[in-house]
């Protein structure tokens, strides 16, 4: 029987708690079933030497203990069969079961570290226990592994819900994250937060983890960026440590993933993340994911993964309004011990529009300049320092309409000539209206000038299209995600005339 026939013969690994009751009963012969499959794939001598003598003992509702006679036996099993065992466990639909190996006669599981040069699966699978192993004195000789597969929580303690400045642009995202932190795995799962860079997504992600640990210090919280997830996976693949990798990410209570859009085009990372997601979701563990893009707009990811991002709740964060930006500036200034007058905060807020990170950077620059000059922060100083600051903000007005048309045409898989034509099919007319809206918003062109670029359309046609898109953006979240994604893409381009 090959792997595919195994998969078709058993239940799906995506299980809810109701399924686990029946699965526990069926799991009594799990080790026997794994041994049967290994016997089919391994050569007879290896199987008889390393697998046949092993017997599993049930030590919990979903945990087995396999005892090994010595370290040599453990190393032989680990090097030859451990990844296969994990894969077969998954293929047979038992992702929620743990098979734990123990060497007889060892009082200290850390001894394995000295002989194996890795974090051993002999210990309990709790990342807290793995942390104590990684931080032990003799582990210094394995520092490369510690750096590559970190077991630290990596949460920023200053990123809390109390320090997050709320406004209309982020109120919904903040409320859903708070609910997820207060009731992990029960409120919104998975929770997907998207929005432009620098708007506070990472802050909210850390805030969820910090709140969970505040309410339950024994909870296992794992925070990771998708890039680091990929790098750790590559390391573990290279040095045959995928058991350690999977134990880390599939045995946590809260899984916080930042910038998931970076797994775009990375097939192996997507495959591993898919199974990690399934395992945690089946166990009703909280999953919170952030992205710069709406799930449908993330390019080159598998549909099955894209669909899972939309299983729970999706919340967006918009750029803050001027009132919100002023409030953020005053909050940042207070934490930094900076006295900031209202007129100075308003001036900065008017010219630093894109995100919170830009606001903070502007405030720090102004404060540093004031200290160098030996002056207090004043409106005169702000205008003097940032007299040219508005220029980059107006640069987008130099964007050419043909650039907008090309971006829209590429996004909707049509030709630029279609946008300029008189064709009225919906597949053409709707993208054309979006292109007209963006041309009005992002360029300095008038309605008649825009109409000329769209095949000689009357200015009233352009006005109608702009108003129609503006109204639709108020209620259509999918449309808003598409338009915002296009805006971000265009803002990153060099303006052309």
């Amino acid at each position: 029987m090959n792997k595919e026939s195994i998969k078709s013969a058993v239940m799906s690994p995506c299980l809810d708690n109701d399924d686990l009751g029946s699965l526990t009963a069926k799991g009594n012969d799990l080790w026997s079933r794994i041994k049967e499959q290994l016997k089919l794939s391994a050569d007879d001598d290896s199987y008889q030497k390393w697998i046949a003598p092993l017997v599993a003992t049930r030590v919990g509702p979903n945990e087995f203990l396999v005892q090994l006679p010595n370290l040599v036996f453990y190393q032989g099993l680990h090097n030859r069969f451990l990844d296969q065992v994990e894969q077969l466990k998954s293929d047979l639909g038992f992702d929620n079961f743990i098979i734990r190996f123990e060497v007889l006669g060892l009082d200290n599981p850390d001894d394995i570290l000295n002989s194996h040069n890795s974090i051993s699966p002999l210990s309990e699978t709790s990342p807290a226990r793995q942390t104590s192993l990684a931080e032990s004195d003799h582990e210094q000789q394995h520092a490369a592994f510690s750096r590559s597969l970190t077991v630290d929580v990596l949460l920023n303690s200053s990123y809390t819900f109390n320090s997050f400045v709320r406004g209309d642009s982020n109120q919904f995202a903040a409320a859903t994250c708070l609910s997820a932190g207060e009731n992990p795995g029960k409120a919104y799962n998975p929770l997907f937060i998207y929005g432009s860079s620098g708007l506070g997504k990472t802050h909210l992600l850390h805030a969820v983890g910090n709140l969970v640990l505040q309410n339950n210090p024994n909870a296992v919280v794992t925070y990771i960026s998708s890039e680091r997830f990929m790098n750790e996976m590559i390391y573990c693949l290279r040095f045959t440590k995928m058991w350690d990798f999977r134990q880390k990410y599939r045995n946590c209570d809260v899984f916080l993933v930042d910038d998931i859009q970076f797994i775009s085009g990375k097939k192996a990372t997507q495959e591993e993340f898919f199974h990690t997601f399934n395992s945690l979701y089946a166990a009703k563990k909280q999953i919170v994911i952030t992205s710069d893009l709406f799930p449908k707009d993330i390019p080159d990811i598998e549909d099955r993964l894209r669909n899972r991002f939309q299983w729970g709740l999706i919340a967006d964060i918009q750029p803050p309004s001027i009132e919100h930006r002023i409030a953020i500036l005053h909050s940042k200034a207070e934490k930094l011990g900076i006295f900031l007058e209202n007129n100075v905060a308003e001036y900065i807020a008017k010219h630093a529009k894109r995100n919170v990170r830009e606001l903070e950077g502007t405030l720090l620059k102004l404060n540093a300049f004031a200290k160098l000059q030996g002056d207090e922060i004043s409106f005169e100083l702000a205008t003097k320092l940032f007299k040219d600051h508005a220029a980059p903000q107006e640069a987008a007005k130099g964007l050419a309409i043909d650039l907008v048309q090309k971006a829209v045409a590429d996004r909707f898989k049509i030709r630029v000539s279609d946008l300029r034509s008189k064709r009225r099919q919906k597949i053409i007319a709707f993208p054309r209206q979006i292109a007209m809206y963006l041309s009005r918003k992002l360029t300095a062109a008038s309605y008649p000038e825009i109409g000329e670029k769209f095949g000689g359309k009357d200015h009233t046609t352009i006005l109608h299209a702009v108003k129609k898109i503006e109204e639709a953006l108020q209620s259509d979240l999918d449309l808003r995600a598409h338009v915002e994604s296009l805006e971000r893409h265009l803002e990153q381009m060099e303006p052309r005339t």
Side-chain angles (χ1 to χ4, degrees):
M1 181 182 291
N2 59 29
K3 184 182 293 186
E4 293 304 316
S5 61
I6 294 172
K7 288 183 178 179
S8 62
V10 297
M11 63 193 72
S12 167
C14 295
L15 306 166
D16 57 31
N17 285 344
D18 293 332
D19 294 327
L20 286 177
S22 59
L23 184 59
T24 299
K26 295 180 181 179
N28 285 313
D29 64 342
L30 171 61
W31 181 246
S32 298
R33 295 171 68 183
I34 289 177
K35 288 176 69 174
E36 289 173 3
Q37 298 306 320
L38 288 174
K39 188 174 183 178
L40 294 175
S41 59
D43 64 85
D44 189 65
D45 287 343
S46 295
Y47 176 82
Q48 293 299 329
K49 180 177 181 179
W50 303 108
I51 301 298
L54 301 180
V55 177
T57 304
R58 193 66 168 272
V59 294
N62 64 338
E63 184 176 5
F64 290 85
L65 175 64
V66 179
Q67 292 186 322
L68 310 176
N70 52 53
L71 283 174
V72 173
F73 203 102
Y74 166 73
Q75 290 172 332
L77 177 69
H78 187 284
N79 293 337
R80 292 171 174 80
F81 294 105
L82 210 61
D83 282 347
Q84 293 181 55
V85 169
E86 280 297 299
Q87 185 60 54
L88 283 169
K89 184 161 66 78
S90 177
D91 292 343
L92 291 166
F94 290 90
D95 278 339
N96 292 284
F97 279 67
I98 296 171
I99 298 177
R100 185 159 56 88
F101 296 90
E102 181 179 278
V103 178
L104 295 173
L106 280 183
D107 294 327
N108 181 11
D110 290 4
D111 291 345
I112 291 295
L113 289 171
N114 292 324
S115 64
H116 191 259
N117 194 30
S118 75
I119 296 178
S120 169
L122 302 186
S123 61
E124 294 291 333
T125 56
S126 165
R129 173 58 179 151
Q130 292 183 358
T131 300
S132 66
L133 295 180
E135 292 178 349
S136 59
D137 292 338
H138 66 270
E139 181 62 20
Q140 296 303 317
Q141 60 182 306
H142 309 303
F145 180 75
S146 297
R147 286 197 300 270
S148 297
L149 185 58
T150 176
V151 289
D152 297 325
V153 178
L154 301 177
L155 290 176
N156 187 329
S157 59
S158 65
Y159 286 171
T160 66
F161 288 106
N162 288 336
S163 63
F164 188 78
V165 182
R166 299 193 187 194
D168 291 341
S169 63
N170 61 27
Q171 183 70 33
F172 181 63
T176 55
C177 285
L178 178 62
S179 183
E182 291 175 335
N183 302 286
K186 298 177 181 178
Y188 307 110
N189 199 30
L191 176 57
F192 191 98
I193 308 295
Y194 77 96
S196 298
S197 177
L199 295 180
K201 301 187 301 295
T202 299
H203 188 135
L204 286 176
L205 207 59
H206 284 259
V208 171
N210 285 322
L211 180 59
V212 170
L213 291 176
Q214 177 184 324
N215 294 334
N216 179 13
N218 294 320
V220 178
V221 176
T222 299
Y223 166 83
I224 194 76
S225 68
S226 63
E227 183 180 17
R228 184 155 192 156
F229 182 90
M230 178 188 69
N231 289 338
E232 289 189 2
M233 190 194 78
I234 291 171
Y235 176 87
C236 290
L237 281 170
R238 179 184 176 190
F239 294 103
T240 63
K241 301 180 187 295
M242 286 305 293
W243 193 97
D244 302 300
F245 181 87
R246 288 165 182 155
Q247 292 308 302
K248 171 184 175 180
Y249 289 109
R250 300 185 189 183
N251 291 280
C252 58
D253 299 309
V254 178
F255 188 41
L256 309 172
V257 187
D258 212 357
D259 290 324
I260 195 64
Q261 73 273 3
F262 289 124
I263 68 172
S264 171
K266 300 172 176 65
K267 301 300 183 183
T269 304
Q270 291 178 32
E271 179 75 18
E272 191 63 36
F273 189 86
F274 172 80
H275 292 298
T276 299
F277 183 103
N278 282 349
S279 179
L280 294 172
Y281 185 82
K284 299 193 182 300
K285 304 300 184 182
Q286 181 66 55
I287 303 169
V288 186
I289 300 170
T290 72
S291 172
D292 284 358
L293 301 171
F294 190 74
K296 289 183 179 179
D297 290 333
I298 302 175
D300 201 14
I301 64 169
E302 297 181 10
D303 287 339
R304 61 177 181 170
L305 199 54
R306 196 191 312 272
N307 290 338
R308 277 161 175 75
F309 293 160
Q310 301 176 87
W311 275 0
L313 182 71
I314 298 176
D316 69 321
I317 300 181
Q318 298 292 321
S321 65
I322 186 168
E323 294 85 1
H324 190 190
R325 295 198 295 273
I326 291 172
I328 291 171
L329 280 168
H330 280 300
S331 176
K332 298 286 185 184
E334 183 179 350
K335 289 174 187 174
L336 295 169
I338 300 171
F339 175 73
L340 192 65
E341 295 178 343
N342 287 332
N343 60 345
V344 178
E346 184 176 351
Y347 177 81
I348 297 173
K350 282 182 177 179
H351 295 101
K353 301 178 180 179
R354 296 190 179 185
N355 55 53
V356 177
R357 199 169 293 141
E358 184 182 3
L359 286 172
E360 187 170 14
T362 302
L363 177 62
L364 292 173
K365 183 177 181 180
L366 180 59
N367 186 50
F369 189 81
K371 287 183 177 180
L372 287 173
Q373 298 295 318
D375 294 332
E376 296 291 332
I377 294 178
S378 64
F379 184 79
E380 291 73 23
L381 185 62
T383 54
K384 177 182 177 182
L385 182 60
F386 297 110
K387 60 184 178 181
D388 297 323
H389 189 75
Q393 303 298 330
E394 298 299 323
K397 292 299 183 180
L399 201 66
I401 294 175
D402 63 343
L403 200 61
V404 175
Q405 291 173 331
K406 184 178 186 309
V408 173
D410 289 344
R411 175 62 58 89
F412 288 93
K413 305 294 189 295
I414 59 177
R415 296 171 300 179
V416 172
S417 60
D418 291 328
L419 296 176
R420 297 170 179 170
S421 71
K422 296 183 179 181
R423 296 174 59 189
R424 295 186 177 182
Q425 294 95 325
K426 187 175 181 180
I427 195 173
I428 302 297
F430 189 58
R432 182 188 292 135
Q433 290 175 333
I434 292 176
M436 290 174 176
Y437 166 82
L438 290 173
S439 296
R440 178 59 180 170
K441 183 176 182 179
L442 300 179
T443 77
S446 64
Y447 285 116
E449 289 171 335
I450 295 172
E452 185 63 29
K453 286 288 189 176
F454 281 85
K457 300 291 190 299
D458 187 83
H459 77 278
T460 57
T461 302
I462 309 301
L463 180 61
H464 171 75
V466 171
K467 286 186 176 180
K468 183 175 180 179
I469 297 300
E470 285 177 343
E471 291 173 359
L473 288 173
Q474 301 301 314
S475 57
D476 191 333
L477 293 180
D478 281 355
L479 174 61
R480 189 194 302 174
H482 276 298
V483 172
E484 289 173 357
S485 176
L486 282 165
E487 284 188 50
R488 289 193 293 270
H489 174 67
L490 287 165
E491 286 172 354
Q492 292 171 359
M493 294 183 175
E494 290 293 330
R496 299 187 308 180
T497 56

